[in-house]
Amino acid sequence: FLPDLVVSDALIGNLQIASSVFTPNGDGLNDAVAIRFVVFKMTATQPRVRIFDLAGQQIVELQQPQGGNERLYTWSGEDGKGGLVPPGTYLCHIDLGAEAGDHTALRSVAVAY
């Protein structure tokens, strides 16, 4: 039981992006980014985790199997058509789709070659 959770509007917790700079060049080192978070106060939700460029264009929507409150998504630097994105800064947008509470998060991710 977490007393602070009862009075908080936060629905996304323990958000970790590792590593915030990654190199999807196929060398087996740092080829993907892991996006991990916990969903609080919601049981039947499928978060939308999307990657956008800085112009606001959606690059890809990440998929993750159902299950549990802890969520893990990975992005290998590919766009929705399977091609590698150019180097640069991208935005990871998480949306739980709730009608109340703090249900979104936005973090930057950098791709380098």
Side-chain angles (χ1 to χ4, degrees), residues 17-63:
I17 297 183
S19 152
S20 60
V21 177
F22 73 109
T23 58
N25 57 10
D27 66 357
L29 300 171
N30 203 24
D31 282 338
V33 63
I35 303 156
R36 183 184 312 265
F37 58 93
V38 176
V39 176
F40 295 129
K41 301 181 185 182
M42 297 178 73
T43 56
T45 184
Q46 181 59 38
R48 290 186 75 188
V49 178
R50 296 177 289 168
I51 305 295
F52 292 87
D53 64 17
L54 293 180
Q57 299 296 313
Q58 180 176 314
I59 301 299
V60 68
E61 183 165 351
L62 304 178
Q63 303 299 318

Side-chain angles (χ1 to χ4, degrees), residues 82-93:
L84 286 177
V85 298
T89 301
Y90 295 85
L91 300 174
C92 174
H93 183 260

